[in-house]
Amino acid sequence: MDHRNLNLLKQISNEIANIYDFHDYDMSKEKIIELAKLMIRSCPKLTIEQAKEFCMNVNSGIYGTLYKAPSCFMAMFQRYIVELNESNNQPPYYKPLPKL
């Protein structure tokens, strides 16, 4: 993992940890890091600003109630990606092919 991705992973992990702390859920570091990796995998062009916006939306309840299950968090993130792609005039299923 290159320096940019490692830095982004750390920043996103901190944002996720803040979400679960805000909702009084205990979550292991390993699961938080895995969620951050899944976010980056789901949206390779994700920026820290977008991640912070998503986290603020989760804390604000825009996507409903956050439950402790990581799949609940990822379902909320998938909704955010759809909204992000629609605002960029991309179809919701759009995902650029990985570089070989």
Side-chain angles (χ1 to χ4, degrees):
M1 185 172 278
D2 68 2
H3 178 68
R4 181 209 171 276
N5 285 343
L6 188 57
N7 190 31
L8 181 64
L9 182 66
K10 287 179 184 178
Q11 290 176 323
I12 292 174
S13 295
N14 287 336
E15 292 296 323
I16 295 170
N18 290 339
I19 288 174
Y20 281 100
D21 285 344
F22 180 78
H23 292 277
D24 281 336
Y25 289 135
D26 291 328
M27 185 68 72
S28 69
K29 281 185 178 183
E30 293 80 18
K31 284 188 181 179
I32 289 172
I33 292 170
E34 186 63 28
L35 281 172
K37 287 179 181 178
L38 287 171
M39 286 175 68
I40 293 170
R41 182 176 179 214
S42 297
C43 187
K45 294 183 179 181
L46 183 68
T47 65
I48 189 59
E49 291 78 20
Q50 292 167 332
K52 286 181 178 183
E53 178 185 27
F54 166 71
C55 293
M56 182 58 68
N57 290 348
V58 171
N59 284 342
S60 300
I62 290 174
Y63 303 115
T65 302
L66 175 69
Y67 297 100
K68 189 174 180 178
S71 58
C72 176
F73 180 87
M74 287 308 296
M76 291 178 173
F77 185 66
Q78 293 299 330
R79 278 188 56 198
Y80 175 75
I81 290 173
V82 168
E83 292 171 1
L84 190 63
N85 287 333
E86 286 174 353
S87 69
N88 292 331
N89 296 322
Q90 298 287 343
Y93 53 81
Y94 175 76
K95 185 175 179 183
L97 294 174
K99 294 181 181 179
L100 300 176

XYZ file of all heavy atoms in Angstrom:
822
model
N 0.856 -1.174 0.000
C 0.000 0.000 0.000
C 0.896 1.229 0.000
O 1.813 1.337 0.801
C -0.902 -0.053 1.230
C -1.909 1.051 1.278
S -3.112 0.859 2.613
C -4.238 -0.276 1.855
N 0.626 2.154 -0.906
C 1.467 3.337 -0.999
C 1.155 4.325 0.125
O 0.200 4.167 0.879
C 1.363 3.987 -2.376
C 0.009 4.614 -2.661
O -0.862 4.595 -1.777
O -0.187 5.121 -3.771
N 2.002 5.343 0.228
C 1.913 6.312 1.327
C 0.569 7.035 1.360
O -0.024 7.208 2.421
C 3.057 7.328 1.205
C 3.018 8.391 2.252
N 3.250 8.108 3.581
C 2.752 9.717 2.180
C 3.138 9.225 4.274
N 2.838 10.220 3.451
N 0.049 7.434 0.187
C -1.222 8.144 0.126
C -2.355 7.269 0.644
O -3.171 7.699 1.444
C -1.522 8.601 -1.305
C -2.840 9.368 -1.425
C -3.461 9.186 -2.808
N -4.789 9.715 -2.893
C -5.895 9.074 -2.515
N -5.826 7.882 -2.010
N -7.083 9.609 -2.640
N -2.386 6.011 0.187
C -3.453 5.111 0.615
C -3.353 4.781 2.102
O -4.368 4.643 2.770
C -3.444 3.824 -0.209
C -4.005 4.036 -1.593
O -4.681 5.023 -1.862
N -3.720 3.119 -2.487
N -2.130 4.640 2.606
C -1.950 4.351 4.021
C -2.425 5.525 4.873
O -3.107 5.336 5.890
C -0.484 4.026 4.312
C -0.168 3.519 5.703
C -0.985 2.271 6.019
C 1.308 3.212 5.831
N -2.095 6.734 4.452
C -2.532 7.932 5.161
C -4.058 8.047 5.114
O -4.692 8.348 6.130
C -1.867 9.171 4.560
C -2.082 10.401 5.401
O -2.197 10.321 6.616
N -2.132 11.548 4.748
N -4.637 7.802 3.937
C -6.096 7.851 3.794
C -6.752 6.788 4.671
O -7.755 7.054 5.336
C -6.486 7.649 2.329
C -7.971 7.690 2.007
C -8.543 9.073 2.313
C -8.209 7.328 0.555
N -6.167 5.596 4.702
C -6.695 4.506 5.528
C -6.709 4.903 7.003
O -7.704 4.682 7.708
C -5.879 3.238 5.309
C -6.325 1.998 6.070
C -7.687 1.534 5.574
C -5.303 0.896 5.913
N -5.638 5.519 7.470
C -5.570 5.959 8.871
C -6.615 7.023 9.164
O -7.293 6.973 10.193
C -4.178 6.519 9.181
C -3.099 5.478 9.294
C -1.760 6.144 9.591
C -0.635 5.146 9.617
N 0.669 5.807 9.855
N -6.760 7.986 8.261
C -7.716 9.066 8.478
C -9.148 8.541 8.484
O -9.962 8.924 9.339
C -7.555 10.142 7.410
C -6.274 10.923 7.534
C -6.099 11.921 6.401
O -6.458 11.648 5.259
N -5.554 13.080 6.721
N -9.470 7.662 7.542
C -10.815 7.100 7.481
C -11.076 6.233 8.710
O -12.170 6.272 9.285
C -11.033 6.318 6.173
C -11.051 7.283 4.989
C -12.326 5.507 6.217
C -11.104 6.612 3.635
N -10.076 5.466 9.127
C -10.225 4.639 10.331
C -10.547 5.502 11.548
O -11.396 5.136 12.370
C -8.950 3.830 10.588
O -8.725 2.907 9.562
N -9.883 6.646 11.658
C -10.171 7.560 12.779
C -11.601 8.081 12.712
O -12.273 8.197 13.742
C -9.185 8.730 12.780
C -7.808 8.323 13.229
O -7.638 7.338 13.933
N -6.814 9.071 12.801
N -12.067 8.400 11.509
C -13.445 8.882 11.345
C -14.453 7.797 11.743
O -15.453 8.080 12.413
C -13.693 9.334 9.910
C -12.934 10.576 9.503
C -13.323 11.813 10.291
O -14.519 11.977 10.610
O -12.427 12.611 10.601
N -14.186 6.562 11.329
C -15.088 5.449 11.668
C -15.093 5.224 13.180
O -16.152 5.020 13.790
C -14.684 4.170 10.920
C -14.873 4.359 9.416
C -15.486 2.971 11.412
C -14.284 3.238 8.573
N -13.917 5.271 13.789
C -13.834 5.098 15.247
C -14.651 6.174 15.951
O -15.349 5.884 16.941
C -12.376 5.145 15.691
N -14.598 7.396 15.438
C -15.385 8.483 16.035
C -16.882 8.227 15.921
O -17.641 8.545 16.836
C -15.030 9.817 15.379
C -13.643 10.295 15.742
O -13.068 9.872 16.748
N -13.081 11.160 14.911
N -17.304 7.659 14.799
C -18.725 7.333 14.623
C -19.176 6.338 15.676
O -20.188 6.537 16.351
C -19.010 6.762 13.216
C -18.921 7.847 12.163
C -20.394 6.103 13.166
C -19.056 7.320 10.749
N -18.429 5.240 15.796
C -18.830 4.209 16.753
C -18.726 4.704 18.193
O -19.542 4.321 19.040
C -18.044 2.919 16.518
C -18.608 2.144 15.348
C -18.027 2.192 14.095
C -19.755 1.373 15.504
C -18.569 1.498 13.022
C -20.307 0.679 14.449
C -19.709 0.736 13.207
O -20.262 0.055 12.155
N -17.756 5.572 18.499
C -17.691 6.186 19.826
C -18.902 7.078 20.065
O -19.494 7.052 21.148
C -16.411 7.016 19.982
C -15.178 6.165 20.167
O -15.310 4.962 20.478
O -14.066 6.711 19.988
N -19.281 7.854 19.059
C -20.429 8.743 19.158
C -21.702 7.972 19.484
O -22.547 8.436 20.246
C -20.587 9.517 17.843
C -21.738 10.478 17.822
C -21.651 11.701 18.456
C -22.914 10.154 17.158
C -22.714 12.594 18.437
C -23.985 11.048 17.134
C -23.885 12.265 17.772
N -21.829 6.784 18.917
C -23.026 5.965 19.129
C -22.879 4.981 20.294
O -23.728 4.116 20.480
C -23.368 5.211 17.838
C -23.835 6.116 16.744
N -25.134 6.547 16.643
C -23.170 6.699 15.715
C -25.252 7.343 15.590
N -24.072 7.458 15.019
N -21.813 5.114 21.060
C -21.536 4.260 22.227
C -21.449 2.778 21.890
O -21.937 1.934 22.640
C -22.587 4.477 23.331
C -22.320 5.730 24.125
O -21.161 6.173 24.167
O -23.279 6.273 24.713
N -20.842 2.470 20.757
C -20.593 1.079 20.379
C -19.108 0.796 20.525
O -18.274 1.614 20.137
C -20.989 0.809 18.924
C -22.466 0.805 18.645
C -22.969 1.477 17.540
C -23.359 0.121 19.448
C -24.323 1.474 17.250
C -24.720 0.119 19.173
C -25.190 0.791 18.076
O -26.530 0.784 17.789
N -18.783 -0.358 21.077
C -17.396 -0.799 21.133
C -17.092 -1.555 19.854
O -17.833 -2.461 19.466
C -17.163 -1.720 22.333
C -17.254 -0.975 23.656
O -16.898 0.215 23.679
O -17.670 -1.595 24.648
N -16.018 -1.170 19.198
C -15.623 -1.816 17.946
C -14.116 -2.001 17.996
O -13.386 -1.069 18.351
C -16.033 -0.945 16.754
C -15.785 -1.547 15.406
S -16.801 -2.971 15.012
C -18.387 -2.221 14.746
N -13.664 -3.187 17.634
C -12.228 -3.463 17.662
C -11.509 -2.679 16.564
O -12.095 -2.329 15.539
C -11.966 -4.957 17.489
O -12.286 -5.361 16.176
N -10.225 -2.427 16.786
C -9.418 -1.723 15.796
C -9.387 -2.483 14.479
O -9.417 -1.879 13.411
C -7.984 -1.543 16.297
C -7.785 -0.439 17.270
C -6.305 -0.294 17.588
C -6.076 0.856 18.531
N -4.637 1.051 18.789
N -9.339 -3.804 14.565
C -9.271 -4.635 13.364
C -10.515 -4.451 12.495
O -10.422 -4.330 11.279
C -9.095 -6.112 13.720
C -7.759 -6.445 14.360
C -7.693 -6.111 15.848
O -8.761 -5.935 16.491
O -6.567 -5.975 16.355
N -11.687 -4.416 13.131
C -12.932 -4.231 12.374
C -13.018 -2.823 11.788
O -13.508 -2.641 10.684
C -14.152 -4.519 13.243
C -14.388 -5.994 13.462
C -15.696 -6.247 14.148
C -15.883 -7.743 14.360
N -17.129 -8.034 15.050
N -12.543 -1.848 12.529
C -12.557 -0.471 12.031
C -11.652 -0.346 10.811
O -12.033 0.250 9.798
C -12.146 0.512 13.147
C -13.265 0.594 14.188
C -11.820 1.887 12.579
C -12.920 1.368 15.422
N -10.476 -0.934 10.881
C -9.552 -0.902 9.746
C -10.144 -1.649 8.561
O -10.047 -1.198 7.419
C -8.173 -1.470 10.146
C -7.498 -0.521 11.134
C -7.293 -1.704 8.917
C -6.250 -1.079 11.791
N -10.798 -2.774 8.820
C -11.435 -3.533 7.738
C -12.542 -2.715 7.077
O -12.682 -2.725 5.851
C -11.992 -4.859 8.266
C -12.529 -5.763 7.203
C -11.477 -6.230 6.204
O -10.294 -6.326 6.563
O -11.854 -6.499 5.052
N -13.321 -1.987 7.867
C -14.358 -1.122 7.297
C -13.742 -0.030 6.433
O -14.250 0.274 5.352
C -15.209 -0.496 8.408
C -16.275 -1.382 9.025
C -16.889 -0.689 10.238
C -17.340 -1.741 8.012
N -12.641 0.548 6.894
C -11.964 1.586 6.106
C -11.459 1.008 4.784
O -11.600 1.634 3.728
C -10.813 2.188 6.901
N -10.909 -0.190 4.830
C -10.439 -0.846 3.600
C -11.598 -1.119 2.653
O -11.477 -0.941 1.441
C -9.716 -2.150 3.931
C -8.349 -1.957 4.538
C -7.701 -3.294 4.858
C -6.339 -3.132 5.490
N -5.740 -4.433 5.843
N -12.733 -1.547 3.196
C -13.907 -1.808 2.365
C -14.432 -0.525 1.729
O -14.873 -0.537 0.575
C -15.011 -2.480 3.192
C -14.771 -3.932 3.564
C -15.819 -4.401 4.565
C -14.764 -4.817 2.331
N -14.378 0.577 2.475
C -14.808 1.859 1.910
C -13.923 2.241 0.724
O -14.432 2.635 -0.323
C -14.760 2.959 2.974
C -15.859 2.885 4.003
S -15.675 4.130 5.309
C -15.993 5.644 4.394
N -12.619 2.100 0.892
C -11.687 2.448 -0.183
C -11.867 1.505 -1.362
O -11.830 1.926 -2.516
C -10.234 2.442 0.336
C -10.043 3.585 1.335
C -9.242 2.563 -0.817
C -8.731 3.542 2.089
N -12.099 0.240 -1.082
C -12.322 -0.734 -2.157
C -13.616 -0.430 -2.911
O -13.680 -0.539 -4.134
C -12.374 -2.140 -1.579
C -12.545 -3.203 -2.614
C -12.496 -4.573 -2.000
N -12.689 -5.572 -3.034
C -13.310 -6.700 -2.847
N -13.770 -7.017 -1.655
N -13.460 -7.544 -3.834
N -14.653 -0.030 -2.184
C -15.939 0.278 -2.807
C -15.889 1.556 -3.630
O -16.631 1.705 -4.593
C -17.030 0.427 -1.748
O -17.217 -0.780 -1.065
N -15.054 2.469 -3.225
C -14.951 3.768 -3.905
C -13.477 4.150 -3.963
O -12.988 4.890 -3.101
C -15.769 4.808 -3.148
S -15.877 6.390 -3.974
N -12.741 3.651 -4.967
C -11.293 3.874 -5.031
C -10.871 5.338 -5.079
O -9.769 5.670 -4.670
C -10.872 3.160 -6.312
C -11.960 2.213 -6.622
C -13.209 2.807 -6.057
N -11.737 6.221 -5.546
C -11.386 7.643 -5.636
C -11.878 8.435 -4.429
O -11.935 9.668 -4.465
C -11.954 8.239 -6.919
C -11.315 7.646 -8.162
C -11.834 8.301 -9.406
C -11.158 7.694 -10.628
N -11.610 8.314 -11.861
N -12.212 7.750 -3.359
C -12.708 8.389 -2.146
C -11.657 9.336 -1.572
O -10.483 8.998 -1.485
C -13.065 7.315 -1.107
C -13.665 7.785 0.203
C -15.059 8.358 -0.035
C -13.727 6.637 1.191
N -12.101 10.510 -1.194
C -11.211 11.482 -0.548
C -11.567 11.564 0.933
O -12.670 11.156 1.339
C -11.358 12.877 -1.175
O -12.691 13.356 -0.922
C -11.080 12.845 -2.678
N -10.679 12.121 1.709
C -10.955 12.263 3.134
C -12.115 13.225 3.365
O -12.910 13.032 4.287
C -9.692 12.678 3.938
C -9.968 12.611 5.439
C -9.209 14.036 3.516
C -10.382 11.260 5.969
N -12.255 14.220 2.503
C -13.375 15.150 2.641
C -14.706 14.426 2.439
O -15.675 14.677 3.167
C -13.249 16.312 1.644
C -12.119 17.268 1.937
C -10.744 16.743 1.506
O -10.679 15.824 0.662
O -9.745 17.253 2.030
N -14.754 13.544 1.451
C -15.970 12.765 1.216
C -16.231 11.817 2.383
O -17.380 11.649 2.805
C -15.855 11.981 -0.089
C -15.848 12.859 -1.314
C -15.426 12.114 -2.557
O -14.680 11.143 -2.509
N -15.910 12.577 -3.710
N -15.188 11.213 2.914
C -15.347 10.315 4.056
C -15.877 11.077 5.266
O -16.763 10.586 5.977
C -14.022 9.633 4.384
N -15.367 12.278 5.488
C -15.854 13.094 6.609
C -17.310 13.495 6.402
O -18.096 13.498 7.355
C -14.982 14.340 6.774
C -13.639 14.048 7.381
C -12.824 15.314 7.552
C -11.484 15.008 8.201
N -10.675 16.199 8.457
N -17.662 13.826 5.162
C -19.054 14.171 4.858
C -19.968 12.974 5.129
O -21.020 13.116 5.749
C -19.179 14.601 3.401
C -20.610 14.919 2.993
C -20.746 15.222 1.513
O -19.922 14.728 0.707
O -21.700 15.934 1.167
N -19.547 11.796 4.698
C -20.334 10.589 4.945
C -20.486 10.347 6.444
O -21.591 10.068 6.920
C -19.682 9.371 4.272
C -20.233 8.067 4.760
C -21.511 7.677 4.408
C -19.484 7.240 5.577
C -22.046 6.478 4.879
C -19.998 6.045 6.040
C -21.276 5.662 5.690
N -19.408 10.476 7.185
C -19.466 10.243 8.636
C -20.387 11.238 9.322
O -21.136 10.871 10.235
C -18.062 10.288 9.225
S -17.013 8.925 8.672
N -20.368 12.488 8.877
C -21.274 13.490 9.437
C -22.725 13.124 9.123
O -23.605 13.271 9.972
C -20.946 14.886 8.885
C -21.803 15.984 9.462
S -21.738 16.143 11.256
C -20.072 16.699 11.478
N -22.961 12.611 7.913
C -24.310 12.184 7.535
C -24.785 11.025 8.406
O -25.950 10.980 8.811
C -24.361 11.780 6.063
C -24.205 12.952 5.119
O -24.276 14.104 5.519
N -23.975 12.654 3.856
N -23.889 10.092 8.701
C -24.252 8.953 9.563
C -24.589 9.461 10.954
O -25.616 9.087 11.531
C -23.114 7.905 9.615
C -23.403 6.854 10.676
C -22.931 7.241 8.262
N -23.739 10.318 11.505
C -23.995 10.851 12.844
C -25.262 11.692 12.890
O -25.920 11.759 13.926
C -22.807 11.682 13.329
C -21.650 10.828 13.771
O -21.796 9.638 14.034
N -20.475 11.422 13.839
N -25.613 12.309 11.771
C -26.829 13.134 11.701
C -28.086 12.304 11.499
O -29.187 12.831 11.553
C -26.704 14.142 10.560
O -25.604 14.986 10.774
N -27.931 11.023 11.214
C -29.081 10.143 11.036
C -29.692 10.181 9.649
O -30.802 9.698 9.443
N -28.993 10.736 8.686
C -29.528 10.850 7.323
C -29.839 9.489 6.722
O -30.814 9.331 5.996
C -28.557 11.660 6.433
C -28.574 13.119 6.878
C -28.898 11.521 4.954
C -27.577 14.009 6.188
N -29.012 8.495 7.046
C -29.204 7.155 6.477
C -29.937 6.214 7.425
O -29.960 5.017 7.221
C -27.845 6.553 6.093
C -27.080 7.417 5.129
C -25.877 8.005 5.493
C -27.573 7.681 3.860
C -25.182 8.817 4.615
C -26.891 8.503 2.981
C -25.693 9.062 3.362
O -25.015 9.872 2.497
N -30.521 6.752 8.471
C -31.252 5.926 9.417
C -30.413 5.633 10.652
O -29.419 6.303 10.927
N -30.808 4.609 11.366
C -30.141 4.234 12.603
C -28.926 3.367 12.322
O -29.008 2.403 11.569
C -31.114 3.442 13.512
O -32.263 4.250 13.757
C -30.460 3.076 14.827
N -27.808 3.723 12.936
C -26.601 2.913 12.812
C -26.658 1.806 13.862
O -26.815 2.081 15.046
C -25.339 3.756 13.023
C -24.032 2.960 13.027
C -23.731 2.422 11.625
C -22.888 3.808 13.531
N -26.564 0.588 13.410
C -26.438 -0.547 14.307
C -24.991 -0.990 14.314
O -24.203 -0.596 13.453
C -27.356 -1.688 13.870
C -28.818 -1.299 13.943
C -29.507 -0.925 12.801
C -29.475 -1.275 15.167
C -30.847 -0.543 12.875
C -30.805 -0.884 15.254
C -31.485 -0.527 14.093
O -32.786 -0.145 14.167
N -24.613 -1.792 15.287
C -23.213 -2.165 15.456
C -22.679 -3.022 14.305
O -21.497 -2.979 14.004
C -23.022 -2.907 16.776
C -21.579 -3.127 17.123
C -21.410 -3.724 18.490
C -19.936 -3.925 18.794
N -19.731 -4.466 20.119
N -23.531 -3.758 13.635
C -23.093 -4.655 12.560
C -22.379 -3.879 11.462
O -22.895 -2.881 10.962
C -24.288 -5.401 11.978
N -21.192 -4.320 11.071
C -20.461 -3.638 9.996
C -21.244 -3.580 8.687
O -21.093 -2.626 7.919
C -19.188 -4.476 9.840
C -18.995 -5.132 11.163
C -20.389 -5.391 11.667
N -22.101 -4.561 8.440
C -22.883 -4.541 7.196
C -23.853 -3.362 7.180
O -24.158 -2.810 6.121
C -23.630 -5.860 7.003
O -24.478 -6.100 8.100
N -24.325 -2.926 8.334
C -25.200 -1.756 8.420
C -24.420 -0.512 7.988
O -24.912 0.294 7.196
C -25.721 -1.590 9.846
S -26.723 -0.121 10.103
N -23.204 -0.380 8.481
C -22.350 0.744 8.118
C -22.081 0.747 6.619
O -22.177 1.776 5.959
C -21.035 0.657 8.904
C -20.076 1.774 8.611
C -20.157 2.962 9.302
C -19.091 1.619 7.653
C -19.270 4.001 9.039
C -18.197 2.643 7.374
C -18.285 3.829 8.073
N -21.763 -0.412 6.047
C -21.439 -0.495 4.625
C -22.675 -0.250 3.760
O -22.567 0.317 2.681
C -20.788 -1.835 4.289
C -19.353 -1.947 4.788
S -18.269 -0.570 4.292
C -18.262 -0.749 2.506
N -23.853 -0.661 4.228
C -25.081 -0.372 3.481
C -25.301 1.140 3.408
O -25.699 1.674 2.370
C -26.278 -1.059 4.135
N -25.018 1.825 4.510
C -25.119 3.284 4.514
C -24.104 3.888 3.553
O -24.422 4.832 2.815
C -24.890 3.838 5.921
C -25.983 3.531 6.895
S -25.560 4.202 8.523
C -27.079 3.896 9.403
N -22.901 3.343 3.523
C -21.873 3.857 2.630
C -22.258 3.626 1.174
O -22.013 4.478 0.320
C -20.512 3.230 2.946
C -19.397 3.812 2.129
C -19.023 5.139 2.294
C -18.739 3.054 1.184
C -18.000 5.699 1.529
C -17.720 3.593 0.422
C -17.343 4.918 0.592
N -22.871 2.495 0.876
C -23.311 2.231 -0.497
C -24.353 3.269 -0.925
O -24.345 3.722 -2.064
C -23.863 0.813 -0.639
C -22.822 -0.278 -0.457
C -21.696 -0.215 -1.468
O -21.877 0.218 -2.592
N -20.518 -0.639 -1.055
N -25.243 3.642 -0.013
C -26.213 4.705 -0.325
C -25.501 6.019 -0.608
O -25.875 6.764 -1.520
C -27.201 4.901 0.827
C -28.335 3.905 0.811
C -29.406 4.209 1.810
N -29.977 5.545 1.663
C -30.674 6.151 2.614
N -30.887 5.559 3.766
N -31.166 7.342 2.415
N -24.469 6.303 0.179
C -23.700 7.533 -0.032
C -23.033 7.505 -1.407
O -23.041 8.510 -2.119
C -22.649 7.689 1.073
C -21.738 8.872 0.853
C -22.184 10.169 1.089
C -20.433 8.697 0.393
C -21.364 11.261 0.877
C -19.604 9.783 0.182
C -20.072 11.054 0.426
O -19.252 12.133 0.205
N -22.466 6.380 -1.798
C -21.807 6.258 -3.099
C -22.808 6.500 -4.224
O -22.505 7.195 -5.195
C -21.132 4.880 -3.267
C -19.920 4.774 -2.355
C -20.698 4.651 -4.708
C -19.289 3.406 -2.336
N -24.009 5.938 -4.110
C -25.040 6.154 -5.125
C -25.349 7.639 -5.235
O -25.410 8.191 -6.340
C -26.315 5.335 -4.803
C -27.476 5.768 -5.672
C -26.047 3.848 -4.966
N -25.528 8.309 -4.108
C -25.804 9.746 -4.125
C -24.635 10.525 -4.717
O -24.833 11.461 -5.483
C -26.081 10.243 -2.705
C -27.364 9.738 -2.115
C -27.506 10.073 -0.644
O -26.595 10.737 -0.078
O -28.509 9.668 -0.053
N -23.426 10.122 -4.388
C -22.231 10.783 -4.905
C -22.133 10.613 -6.412
O -21.870 11.571 -7.135
C -20.992 10.202 -4.219
C -19.659 10.894 -4.443
C -19.701 12.311 -3.885
C -18.554 10.096 -3.781
N -22.383 9.418 -6.899
C -22.321 9.162 -8.341
C -23.426 9.902 -9.086
O -23.203 10.391 -10.189
C -22.397 7.662 -8.637
C -21.119 6.953 -8.263
O -20.047 7.536 -8.253
N -21.228 5.676 -7.956
N -24.604 9.985 -8.500
C -25.692 10.719 -9.142
C -25.353 12.196 -9.238
O -25.659 12.843 -10.242
C -26.998 10.519 -8.365
C -27.599 9.146 -8.561
C -28.818 8.911 -7.686
O -29.137 9.759 -6.822
O -29.447 7.859 -7.864
N -24.692 12.721 -8.227
C -24.324 14.137 -8.273
C -23.201 14.384 -9.277
O -23.029 15.498 -9.746
C -23.909 14.639 -6.886
O -22.688 14.052 -6.486
N -22.447 13.355 -9.623
C -21.385 13.466 -10.631
C -21.839 12.962 -11.997
O -21.019 12.716 -12.871
C -20.145 12.683 -10.197
C -19.470 13.287 -9.002
O -19.541 14.486 -8.786
N -18.819 12.467 -8.212
N -23.154 12.773 -12.156
C -23.739 12.279 -13.406
C -23.178 10.925 -13.833
O -22.989 10.662 -15.008
C -23.567 13.299 -14.538
C -24.309 14.573 -14.251
O -25.417 14.544 -13.702
N -23.724 15.694 -14.581
N -22.880 10.069 -12.864
C -22.434 8.710 -13.146
C -23.559 7.762 -12.738
O -24.264 8.006 -11.769
C -21.178 8.360 -12.332
C -19.983 9.223 -12.652
C -19.386 8.880 -14.004
O -19.651 7.835 -14.570
N -18.580 9.788 -14.524
N -23.731 6.663 -13.477
C -24.726 5.688 -13.036
C -24.302 5.084 -11.702
O -23.100 5.014 -11.410
C -24.729 4.646 -14.151
C -23.462 4.843 -14.891
C -23.059 6.266 -14.686
N -25.247 4.659 -10.854
C -24.908 4.175 -9.513
C -24.014 2.930 -9.518
O -23.325 2.671 -8.553
C -26.256 3.882 -8.870
C -27.222 3.830 -9.972
C -26.661 4.665 -11.092
N -24.028 2.186 -10.592
C -23.222 0.971 -10.650
C -21.831 1.229 -11.214
O -21.032 0.320 -11.341
C -23.924 -0.089 -11.509
C -24.319 0.423 -12.874
C -23.402 0.488 -13.913
C -25.610 0.884 -13.101
C -23.763 0.994 -15.143
C -25.972 1.387 -14.340
C -25.041 1.432 -15.357
O -25.391 1.935 -16.571
N -21.527 2.483 -11.537
C -20.250 2.815 -12.144
C -19.104 2.581 -11.168
O -19.137 3.025 -10.029
C -20.212 4.274 -12.584
C -18.875 4.723 -13.105
C -18.451 4.365 -14.366
C -18.025 5.469 -12.315
C -17.212 4.761 -14.851
C -16.794 5.868 -12.781
C -16.382 5.518 -14.047
O -15.158 5.896 -14.515
N -18.123 1.843 -11.630
C -16.902 1.644 -10.864
C -15.776 1.474 -11.875
O -15.836 0.582 -12.712
C -17.006 0.411 -9.974
C -15.809 0.213 -9.067
C -16.040 -0.950 -8.140
C -14.836 -1.152 -7.260
N -14.990 -2.326 -6.392
N -14.774 2.340 -11.857
C -13.721 2.232 -12.845
C -12.973 0.913 -12.717
O -12.834 0.367 -11.621
C -12.799 3.412 -12.536
C -13.135 3.835 -11.161
C -14.543 3.404 -10.896
N -12.523 0.405 -13.842
C -11.777 -0.841 -13.830
C -10.415 -0.620 -13.191
O -9.806 0.439 -13.364
C -11.595 -1.366 -15.258
C -12.871 -1.795 -15.954
C -12.570 -2.148 -17.413
C -13.492 -2.986 -15.256
N -9.934 -1.611 -12.428
C -8.626 -1.446 -11.811
C -7.520 -1.443 -12.866
O -7.649 -2.081 -13.916
C -8.503 -2.672 -10.892
C -9.476 -3.650 -11.411
C -10.555 -2.876 -12.104
N -6.466 -0.709 -12.584
C -5.331 -0.675 -13.499
C -4.512 -1.938 -13.310
O -4.255 -2.366 -12.201
C -4.475 0.562 -13.231
C -5.199 1.835 -13.543
C -4.325 3.048 -13.293
C -5.120 4.308 -13.590
N -4.343 5.505 -13.342
N -4.108 -2.495 -14.416
C -3.297 -3.721 -14.363
C -1.834 -3.413 -14.296
O -1.324 -2.462 -14.679
C -3.590 -4.604 -15.586
C -5.046 -5.046 -15.699
C -5.229 -5.826 -16.983
C -5.419 -5.915 -14.523
